Amino acid sequence: MTKYFNINYEMDRAEVHRAIERKVKKDKADYICVADGVILNIANRKPEYLKVVNGGMFAICDSSYVPLYLRWIYGRHYEQYCGSQIFIDIVRCRKYRMIFMGTSQNTLDGLKENLKKENPEVEGMQFVELPYKAVEDFDYEGIAKEIEADEADIIWIALGAPKQEIFMSKLKPHLKRGVMIAVGAAFKFYSGTDVKRAPQWMIKCHLEFVHRIFKEPKKQLKRCSMILLTLPQLLVEETMRKHKKENDME
């Protein structure tokens, strides 16, 4: 795990999965944030949210641009590990009992049908629609009891950022075990009933954000404008941190 842009990232995919397995075996509760450009932006503008993002096990790098920035600044080669990818990787591995929480029942129904093709054991797992309300108003104790009764190892949360990360931080104290992972739009991508992910050629060319702008223009344009406003400062500050580390080592 390494801190970049003030976020505790785990960039090694194999270590991400080893850490999840260790946590599940220890019967301890924790969470993982899937940090895209939106989370990076909000976390660096709001200190309390940054504490939430760094309050779990670590964040994985959902942004395709952060690895490019780190290559420019540090000369290090990292890869994106997006929420939809870790989601399907864990579903396909068939190692864990899971519970899926958030979004609409229609999306959850479609998600279940599609995931059964990847992992037949999904048939016996719960897909729980969470009520639409402020993050402070959820019955966290009741939700925790439902998860504990299910004996889920992995708790998938899809409420959208920054709500889903705050939700996990508030639920964690009530859980005895399980790893929560907030995957945002992954439920929609794999449900077959909602927004689809960008084609592979757009993903490889770092143009997934363009696809999402066309699908949700009002929401995504606002997010992109905020990222562009704060990005120059983030790049300057990270470059300065690099030089400071180098000077301290001399």
Side-chain angles (χ1 to χ4, degrees):
M1 183 171 64
T2 310
K3 183 174 286 187
Y4 295 119
F5 302 108
N6 297 310
I7 290 177
N8 295 327
Y9 285 107
E10 179 52 71
M11 295 292 198
D12 185 329
R13 291 193 185 195
E15 179 54 31
V16 169
H17 289 277
R18 286 192 293 266
I20 291 171
E21 187 171 4
R22 288 195 298 268
K23 187 66 67 173
V24 169
K25 286 182 178 178
K26 287 182 179 179
D27 280 345
K28 291 186 177 180
D30 216 327
Y31 62 88
I32 294 171
C33 292
V34 178
D36 62 1
V38 174
I39 289 177
L40 177 65
N41 172 267
I42 299 173
N44 279 281
R45 289 189 294 106
K46 298 184 177 182
E48 288 303 312
Y49 184 60
L50 180 61
K51 290 181 182 178
V52 168
V53 172
N54 285 336
M57 294 166 62
F58 46 72
I60 64 170
C61 183
D62 186 83
S63 169
S64 67
Y65 282 92
V66 166
L68 292 179
Y69 305 150
L70 296 178
R71 188 179 304 176
W72 298 339
I73 296 170
Y74 293 98
R76 297 173 185 171
H77 294 264
Y78 295 118
E79 293 183 357
Q80 174 191 27
Y81 196 18
C82 63
S84 57
Q85 190 61 55
I86 190 174
F87 178 73
I88 202 64
D89 286 348
I90 290 178
V91 169
R92 285 171 175 164
C93 80
R94 305 189 184 188
K95 291 171 64 175
Y96 305 109
R97 178 164 181 81
M98 299 170 285
I99 187 168
F100 304 79
M101 310 189 83
T103 193
S104 69
Q105 195 59 54
N106 182 56
T107 298
L108 290 170
D109 291 343
L111 180 66
K112 184 173 184 177
E113 287 304 308
N114 284 336
L115 293 186
K116 285 191 296 185
K117 302 170 188 175
E118 305 288 347
N119 179 353
E121 294 174 11
V122 165
E123 175 66 48
M125 298 180 190
Q126 286 197 75
F127 289 71
V128 181
E129 181 180 16
L130 293 173
Y132 183 77
K133 58 174 62 179
V135 72
E136 297 83 8
D137 295 336
F138 283 99
D139 176 12
Y140 289 102
E141 186 175 352
I143 293 170
K145 287 180 179 178
E146 184 173 4
I147 294 170
E148 298 288 352
D150 185 86
E151 298 183 341
D153 302 309
I154 305 293
I155 303 105
W156 297 108
I157 306 295
L159 291 171
K163 186 176 183 178
Q164 61 194 10
E165 290 74 34
I166 299 171
F167 177 93
M168 292 192 300
S169 71
K170 290 183 176 294
L171 182 57
K172 178 180 173 179
H174 299 280
L175 287 175
K176 296 178 182 177
R177 64 181 304 275
V179 175
M180 295 175 280
I181 310 176
V183 288
F187 282 21
K188 295 179 179 181
F189 293 156
Y190 289 107
S191 71
T193 63
D194 214 312
V195 179
K196 293 183 179 180
R197 198 178 178 199
Q200 279 300 313
W201 71 266
M202 295 188 79
I203 295 170
K204 289 180 180 179
C205 294
H206 306 280
L207 294 173
E208 187 168 11
F209 74 96
V210 176
H211 175 83
R212 298 193 72 173
I213 285 173
F214 276 106
K215 293 295 183 180
E216 303 172 296
K218 186 175 180 181
K219 176 182 176 181
Q220 297 302 330
L221 282 172
K222 181 179 179 180
R223 288 182 164 186
C224 287
S225 64
M226 291 303 299
I227 291 170
L228 289 173
L229 284 172
T230 57
L231 180 59
Q233 183 178 346
L234 289 177
L235 293 174
V236 169
E237 289 177 350
E238 192 64 30
T239 303
M240 291 174 65
R241 274 191 287 271
K242 177 204 173 186
H243 292 317
K244 184 179 185 303
K245 289 177 183 177
E246 291 175 344
N247 292 334
D248 290 344
M249 293 174 64
E250 292 178 356

